[in-house]
Amino acid sequence: AAAAAAAAAAAAAGGGGAAANSAGRPTSPVFAGVPQTHKHGTDFSDPDLAMQIGTAAAKSGLVLAISQALHEWACYSDARVFYEWSLGLLLGNEPAAALQAAENSATSISSLAEESLAKLFAKLPDDTALVAADILKGMALLYTHQSKSLIAQKLLQTVITVLERVRGKDSIEVSLVLDDMAWNDIVARKVLSAVQRLKRALLIKIGHVLPDHSAETIARLSAEGFELDQPEWQAALDRAIDVMINSGKPQYKGLAPISSTLPISINRIAVAYGNWSRFALAETLFTHSLHLRERFYGAGHPIVALVWGDLGVLHTRRHQQLMSKEMMEDVYIYKDATSPKTADDDLSPDEKTALADKLLIKAREAHEKAVQIRRDMLGPHHPFLATSLSGLADVYFCSGDFAKAKALCEQSHNIRHCALGPENQQTKAVKRRLQMIADVMAKKGDEKK
């Protein structure tokens, strides 16, 4: 895929093809006339160099588009190659070297490397800086998918600094980066931090839909502890959703429309509240997200499958907490240690059993919809399908059908092993899940004997 895409990129841009190192990685410069490196001492105000950078930016954008396509189809190794290539076209080898050093350390980007990236981005012309920010944002998402959220978070901080400078602090682009940073907070179990970022992202988007909101209202809604179950928040969300539902389908030109981006924030803050055991609020928010995404994308879109899967996880988690069962491990969804007391705690044993049965039915139906959509639209080997299969396995495990749960987990493990590799945290998590199911089945067999 990398070789074919490299040839296509070179042909489309009028270049003579890509050179490659011994590992098959495209090397810079790829196109004639593009400077190979732009070091920190370079004067970016020089008009000749500015023209060269502009040329590099256009070609880098083409390679970035290929990177994003490969990333979307879970060709993560090839996507990484092309992200680095795209960045190299703009900035030479130094940023890629810093990222490689960070990966080798398996922790985070060093403060020196982070400072160097920030200084380099600060000196770039606005148009070039925006292309470079898009590349870093793609790489950050790739690191998140590879369970390296700390590195991703530092890259996103650089991106948000660029976007605030060029686009403004209340731009839709900034809100989208806040969405991604909040997801890394959720992965790191920093639920409160995630909620605060997502509230800011929501307010930016709502502000574009409802410009009549006063500064005092925005300040009150964004305050820590003023959560989305408050009437004022609910009224703002309801108004914004109503405006978008009645505005017609979004036109995908230029800036991503609010209609397609608001559900991202709603869905992720619902995940955060679900981790916080605020189940009723989370379900309400997921319902909003589902309504919007089905309206704008259609019921069979993979983005809709994401919401169905999250709803399935929410119902399963509530069932497990209701029945005082140990939470099944999941790569992204964690039990928060500070979960508050819920109304479920006051139910009688019979009421808990009846509610638990209903929750499992709802969870199974939600995960089955997610599996069907992802299998139809993404194919049988995509990691997102593996996520849905794992969620469905959890439901069967809670139902006591361990054989079915094991079969689904085996399918999930095979997909993740091939797509992500054996050392990826998601692959390891489903492998541990398989072992847990096997242990339970062995125990049940011993009890029967």
Side-chain angles (χ1 to χ4, degrees), residues 15 30 42 48 52 67 123 167 169 247 268 282 324 353 373 376 387 425:
V30 180
T42 303
D48 292 334
Q52 289 179 321
S67 311
K123 295 174 69 175
R167 295 297 194 193
K169 292 186 176 181
S247 66
R268 290 186 180 174
S324 301
T353 299
I373 294 171
D376 290 346
T387 300
Q425 286 191 25

Side-chain angles (χ1 to χ4, degrees), residues 368-426:
E368 285 175 345
K369 288 179 180 177
V371 167
Q372 187 63 50
I373 294 171
R374 284 174 162 169
R375 181 175 281 126
D376 290 346
M377 300 301 295
L378 302 178
H381 308 298
H382 200 286
F384 291 173
L385 174 61
T387 300
S388 296
L389 291 170
S390 292
L392 190 55
D394 288 353
V395 176
Y396 280 104
F397 182 87
C398 291
S399 303
D401 191 341
F402 304 122
K404 184 69 172 177
K406 181 182 178 184
L408 289 166
C409 266
E410 286 173 343
Q411 292 179 52
S412 176
H413 180 264
N414 290 340
I415 294 171
R416 285 178 170 172
H417 188 277
C418 292
L420 306 177
E423 298 304 315
N424 183 270
Q425 286 191 25
Q426 296 181 52

Side-chain angles (χ1 to χ4, degrees), residues 12 17 36 51 82 120 132 180 186 263 276 289 317 322 365 369 410:
Q36 182 168 359
M51 183 174 65
F82 276 78
L120 183 57
D180 291 339
I186 291 172
W276 205 356
S289 176
R317 283 175 51 80
L322 187 70
E365 291 173 347
K369 288 179 180 177
E410 286 173 343

Side-chain angles (χ1 to χ4, degrees), residues 197-253:
R197 289 191 204 275
L198 289 165
K199 283 165 65 176
R200 182 186 166 197
L202 278 169
L203 285 171
I204 290 173
K205 294 168 185 175
I206 290 174
H208 283 265
V209 179
L210 307 174
D212 58 336
H213 265 51
S214 66
E216 293 79 10
T217 299
I218 292 174
R220 186 162 57 255
L221 294 178
S222 61
E224 187 171 344
F226 197 82
E227 306 304 338
L228 269 69
D229 53 359
Q230 297 293 325
E232 199 165 358
W233 253 115
Q234 290 294 320
L237 270 179
D238 288 344
R239 280 187 63 205
I241 291 169
D242 185 63
V243 168
M244 288 188 297
I245 288 295
N246 292 309
S247 66
K249 285 199 173 184
Q251 300 299 313
Y252 299 100
K253 295 179 181 178

Side-chain angles (χ1 to χ4, degrees), residues 139-423:
M139 295 190 78
L141 185 60
L142 187 64
Y143 278 120
T144 297
H145 288 162
Q146 294 176 321
S147 306
K148 298 173 183 176
S149 58
L150 186 56
I151 301 176
Q153 205 74 330
K154 291 202 171 185
L155 291 183
L156 290 172
Q157 187 57 59
T158 300
V159 172
I160 211 166
T161 300
V162 171
L163 293 176
E164 287 180 342
R165 170 172 65 87
V166 179
R167 295 297 194 193
K169 292 186 176 181
D170 293 328
S171 65
I172 295 298
E173 292 97 330
V174 166
S175 74
L176 293 175
V177 180
L178 289 169
D179 289 334
D180 291 339
M181 295 185 79
W183 186 249
N184 287 317
D185 285 335
I186 291 172
V187 172
R189 311 186 190 198
K190 299 177 181 178
V191 175
L192 293 178
S193 176
V195 167
Q196 283 303 111
R197 289 191 204 275
L198 289 165
K199 283 165 65 176
R200 182 186 166 197
L202 278 169
L203 285 171
I204 290 173
K205 294 168 185 175
I206 290 174
H208 283 265
V209 179
L210 307 174
D212 58 336
H213 265 51
S214 66
E216 293 79 10
T217 299
I218 292 174
R220 186 162 57 255
L221 294 178
S222 61
E224 187 171 344
F226 197 82
E227 306 304 338
L228 269 69
D229 53 359
Q230 297 293 325
E232 199 165 358
W233 253 115
Q234 290 294 320
L237 270 179
D238 288 344
R239 280 187 63 205
I241 291 169
D242 185 63
V243 168
M244 288 188 297
I245 288 295
N246 292 309
S247 66
K249 285 199 173 184
Q251 300 299 313
Y252 299 100
K253 295 179 181 178
L255 183 64
I258 303 167
S259 301
S260 64
T261 61
L262 182 60
I264 298 173
S265 300
I266 294 175
N267 211 75
R268 290 186 180 174
I269 203 166
V271 171
Y273 281 126
N275 289 358
W276 205 356
S277 297
R278 313 255 327 233
F279 298 121
L281 177 56
E283 186 170 2
T284 297
L285 292 168
F286 279 135
T287 302
H288 285 320
S289 176
L290 188 66
H291 187 199
L292 285 170
R293 292 185 179 194
E294 287 186 334
R295 171 69 175 82
F296 291 116
Y297 296 97
H301 197 283
I303 287 180
V304 174
L306 171 68
V307 189
W308 280 120
D310 287 341
L311 268 169
V313 170
L314 180 75
H315 296 319
T316 305
R317 283 175 51 80
R318 188 179 179 187
H319 170 273
Q320 290 171 315
Q321 187 163 314
L322 187 70
M323 303 305 290
S324 301
K325 292 184 177 180
E326 181 181 355
M327 295 287 182
M328 294 272 290
E329 179 187 22
D330 190 281
V331 177
Y332 293 136
I333 310 300
Y334 294 95
K335 174 177 167 57
D336 194 299
T338 59
S339 297
K341 180 181 173 64
T342 69
D344 294 347
D345 297 330
D346 297 326
L347 297 176
S348 69
D350 288 343
E351 290 172 328
K352 286 185 177 182
T353 299
L355 176 58
D357 290 342
K358 291 179 181 178
L359 288 170
L360 282 184
I361 292 171
K362 292 171 70 174
R364 188 186 71 245
E365 291 173 347
H367 281 303
E368 285 175 345
K369 288 179 180 177
V371 167
Q372 187 63 50
I373 294 171
R374 284 174 162 169
R375 181 175 281 126
D376 290 346
M377 300 301 295
L378 302 178
H381 308 298
H382 200 286
F384 291 173
L385 174 61
T387 300
S388 296
L389 291 170
S390 292
L392 190 55
D394 288 353
V395 176
Y396 280 104
F397 182 87
C398 291
S399 303
D401 191 341
F402 304 122
K404 184 69 172 177
K406 181 182 178 184
L408 289 166
C409 266
E410 286 173 343
Q411 292 179 52
S412 176
H413 180 264
N414 290 340
I415 294 171
R416 285 178 170 172
H417 188 277
C418 292
L420 306 177
E423 298 304 315

Side-chain angles (χ1 to χ4, degrees), residues 97-128:
L99 294 171
Q100 188 61 56
E103 184 144 326
N104 291 341
S105 70
T107 53
S108 65
I109 296 177
S110 69
S111 58
L112 180 61
E114 188 178 9
E115 183 179 345
S116 297
L117 280 175
K119 286 182 177 179
L120 183 57
F121 274 57
K123 295 174 69 175
L124 289 172
D126 287 354
D127 289 348
T128 305

